[in-house]
Amino acid sequence: MKVAELNSMNDFELKGILVSLIGKAKRSELIQFVKALKEVTEKDNEDLSYNLTPEQEQELEQAIAETYHEENLISHDQALSELSRWLHK
């Protein structure tokens, strides 16, 4: 996924991608990612809280249910490849 594609997504879509990738990451990578995210958030002093519309809640519930379908799973290596774009090594 290219930066332009990420920039065109709304917050809900970006968070969905993160949730998908986080579920497949190693613990050490998650710790590194959380530290980096916390650092950025503290610098920006952003309020990351949000409220979902009823439609978004329904879409989220459906997306969560779909994560249990085997055809929606990706390999550990593929997930690491996706996460590596955001992790500094």
Side-chain angles (χ1 to χ4, degrees):
M1 188 170 292
K2 296 181 180 180
V3 174
E5 292 173 303
L6 292 172
N7 287 334
S8 69
M9 293 181 178
N10 65 39
D11 288 352
F12 184 71
E13 292 168 321
L14 288 171
K15 289 175 184 181
I17 289 171
L18 286 174
V19 168
S20 171
L21 295 173
I22 286 169
K24 297 167 182 79
K26 292 180 187 175
R27 186 177 196 285
S28 61
E29 293 166 331
L30 290 172
I31 290 170
Q32 187 177 0
F33 178 75
V34 169
K35 286 179 183 178
L37 186 59
K38 184 179 177 192
E39 216 174 87
V40 169
T41 302
E42 287 172 351
K43 285 180 185 175
D44 290 345
N45 245 348
E46 278 188 48
D47 177 14
L48 296 179
S49 63
Y50 62 93
N51 295 314
L52 298 178
T53 65
E55 294 80 16
Q56 289 172 323
E57 286 182 13
Q58 184 178 8
E59 186 178 336
L60 179 59
E61 288 175 10
Q62 181 180 350
I64 290 170
E66 289 173 359
T67 64
Y68 295 100
H69 298 169
E70 190 171 325
E71 67 271 12
N72 294 326
L73 300 178
I74 62 173
S75 72
H76 181 73
D77 290 336
Q78 186 178 354
L80 289 179
S81 174
E82 293 289 331
L83 281 173
S84 69
R85 298 174 190 176
W86 295 282
L87 297 175
H88 302 282
K89 292 190 176 187

